[in-house]
Amino acid sequence: MKKKISIVALSSVLIAGSAMASGYRIPEQSVDSVAKAGANVASANQADTAYYNPANMGWLKKDAWQFEGALTYINLPSVSYEDNRSPLMNGSSKTENFLLPTFFLVSPDMNNFRLGISAIAPFGLSKRWEQPFPRSTAEEYSLNVYELNPTVSYTISDMFSLAGGVRMIYSTAQVSNYAVQSSGMMVTRSMEGDAMEWGYNLAASVRPTKDMNISATYRSNVDLGLDGDVTMGTNTPSIFVMETSGAVDLPAPAVLSLSLAYTFGPATIDLTWDRTFWSEYESIEFDYSSPVAHPVLNAVYTPAIPKNWDDSNGYRIGLSYVLNQDVTLMAGFAYDETPIPDETLGFELPGSNAWLYSVGVRYRVSEAMEIGAGYLYDYKESRTVVNGSATTGINGEFTDAAAHLLSFGLSYDF
């Protein structure tokens, strides 16, 4: 496969994240997860348990294949930046819209073993700026991460189940930056690359009573080794373009989740805590196959860029209520911490702490089929940041960051 990185960018090329969760992680991959704000671990009881908690697969219908497919529309409104030094340095990012398809499949029981498979997109981002100051470090940045995750579970007893799986992850990234200083010096870079990597996941579920489930899941860290062709350019002291190949590593960090679900009558509540180990993201550094001899390009593009992200926590609560034999209502609330310290926050990902609110419904069409829908609103707190140099660093406030997720899905047993 040909990999291309055309680098026509400028100073710090930083990795950006979506506006949906801490960093660039996307926890919401199914209708139930969207409808319950990601609190879908101990309470997972549809085919999406193959991803969220494969240990629960042993307690699904024993004699049927169970399939679930979902299509999620994601809207990222424009983020505003107001600089404290000059209105000429203000900016607003472009509004982004995406469609995210996912599917899940769980096998019938086979002597207490179950097989599952999930196709998801657990990480991703997109951020584009057109104004001169923001685009100097983040004219465009996009990351797509696709995962195929086969799993197997073994039900030891009515009270205890274990599971594990293999993570096959394919990622693509595109970056472009453009900066012109007051002196007229220009540096620019655009890049495009991909990677194929592997990881694993583990899960365990305990049911002390028929109404209670205590679960733990772990998804391993995976370093995305993106590589491809690179092109860099500047006009100082004269027009110069350099083409080479290069590589850069970006973490898809480990995630640990602990969850408790309890059913009382027609209602089930899910309390989930997850920790994302973003401290893996210490810096970003491009490794070029050829020396960058040009002094301007060497100064701009070869130094490692510190990130120093922190591990972050998410606190989630989900509620489902069986209204009647055909209709199940769902709602959720969550609080996500940002992993990004003030010192390294940039336009590529102006993240902040987030408050998530969600609702959803499932409707049973027949004995074998259900349809569902979920909506989630992710509100990001405003954030004032002062970092970098007095003239080229950030000194202002980011506002209006948010995300809207609308998911539709179909479940079928056969």
Side-chain angles (χ1 to χ4, degrees):
M1 178 184 299
K2 179 174 177 58
K3 302 166 192 162
K4 176 185 176 185
I5 302 184
S6 67
I7 289 197
V8 194
L10 82 351
S11 61
S12 50
V13 174
L14 311 172
I15 301 301
S18 78
M20 286 171 284
S22 65
Y24 43 89
R25 177 176 163 237
I26 309 175
E28 300 85 10
Q29 298 287 318
S30 68
V31 168
D32 281 15
S33 183
V34 169
K36 296 190 289 183
N40 188 46
V41 180
S43 64
N45 61 3
Q46 303 287 332
D48 61 349
T49 193
Y51 174 70
Y52 285 101
N53 184 8
N56 273 8
M57 291 192 299
W59 295 318
L60 301 181
K61 293 180 181 178
K62 291 186 176 297
D63 57 352
W65 287 90
Q66 296 178 63
F67 168 83
E68 180 175 350
L71 183 65
T72 301
Y73 165 71
I74 301 173
N75 167 257
L76 305 181
S78 174
V79 178
S80 299
Y81 171 74
E82 184 174 350
D83 197 89
N84 293 327
R85 293 159 295 190
S86 169
L88 297 177
M89 303 175 80
N90 294 348
S92 58
S93 67
K94 288 188 174 182
T95 299
E96 308 282 356
N97 297 285
F98 308 94
L99 287 176
L100 173 64
T102 58
F103 80 82
F104 314 90
L105 183 68
V106 177
S107 76
D109 180 81
M110 298 175 288
N111 295 320
N112 294 328
F113 284 95
R114 290 287 187 103
L115 301 178
I117 191 166
S118 307
I120 60 276
F123 297 90
L125 65 91
S126 183
K127 194 60 61 188
R128 295 178 296 165
W129 301 80
E130 293 184 330
Q131 298 79 21
F133 182 55
R135 77 174 183 177
S136 65
T137 52
E139 182 179 19
E140 178 177 1
Y141 196 95
S142 63
L143 172 70
N144 299 300
V145 180
Y146 309 99
E147 179 174 341
L148 191 64
N149 181 204
T151 52
V152 58
S153 72
Y154 181 69
T155 306
I156 298 172
S157 67
D158 289 340
M159 292 181 60
F160 192 52
S161 180
L162 295 173
V166 176
R167 306 176 63 197
M168 298 177 283
I169 297 178
Y170 175 71
S171 58
T172 65
Q174 182 174 351
V175 179
S176 63
N177 308 77
Y178 178 87
V180 179
Q181 295 187 358
S182 58
S183 63
M185 185 184 78
M186 178 272 293
V187 279
T188 180
R189 171 167 68 180
S190 66
M191 35 181 317
E192 190 177 321
D194 64 359
M196 181 72 187
E197 307 292 352
W198 300 81
Y200 67 90
N201 64 298
L202 303 170
S205 290
V206 179
R207 296 200 303 183
T209 71
K210 66 181 181 65
D211 294 324
M212 180 183 294
N213 183 304
I214 304 170
S215 296
T217 67
Y218 179 78
R219 307 188 73 81
S220 69
N221 178 76
V222 177
D223 289 325
L224 308 176
L226 298 157
D227 63 272
D229 298 330
V230 178
T231 304
M232 293 175 274
T234 183
N235 64 350
T236 304
S238 59
I239 295 176
F240 180 85
V241 176
M242 175 182 177
E243 294 184 349
T244 184
S245 59
V248 63
D249 287 339
L250 171 66
V255 180
L256 172 67
S257 298
L258 302 178
S259 184
L260 168 67
Y262 190 81
T263 299
F264 43 99
T268 298
I269 189 169
D270 185 314
L271 303 174
T272 295
W273 167 83
D274 57 53
R275 188 167 181 84
T276 307
F277 294 92
W278 286 112
S279 56
E280 287 285 335
Y281 194 12
E282 296 178 349
S283 65
I284 181 169
E285 183 175 4
F286 288 91
D287 181 18
Y288 304 110
S289 60
S290 302
V292 182
H294 191 284
V296 172
L297 297 181
N298 182 276
V300 171
Y301 294 123
T302 60
I305 301 165
K307 301 301 292 178
N308 299 322
W309 283 21
D310 302 315
D311 296 340
S312 64
N313 298 306
Y315 307 91
R316 312 179 190 281
I317 180 170
L319 177 68
S320 60
Y321 185 87
V322 180
L323 188 65
N324 55 49
Q325 64 179 3
D326 295 326
V327 178
T328 300
L329 305 178
M330 296 171 286
F333 170 76
Y335 176 75
D336 268 329
E337 297 175 345
T338 180
I340 310 172
D342 286 349
E343 294 77 15
T344 62
L345 182 139
F347 289 103
E348 76 290 342
L349 180 53
S352 61
N353 296 330
W355 302 82
L356 288 72
Y357 310 86
S358 62
V359 294
V361 62
R362 279 188 169 272
Y363 177 73
R364 181 168 293 280
V365 179
S366 66
E367 184 64 27
M369 182 185 297
E370 276 190 333
I371 56 175
Y375 169 74
L376 181 146
Y377 173 61
D378 180 333
Y379 165 76
K380 294 283 189 181
E381 297 175 353
S382 299
R383 187 168 184 181
T384 299
V385 173
V386 178
N387 64 29
S389 73
T391 55
T392 62
I394 292 176
N395 185 341
E397 183 182 25
F398 292 94
T399 59
D400 303 325
H404 302 273
L405 280 70
L406 182 61
S407 182
F408 297 95
L410 180 147
S411 300
Y412 191 79
D413 303 339
F414 58 95

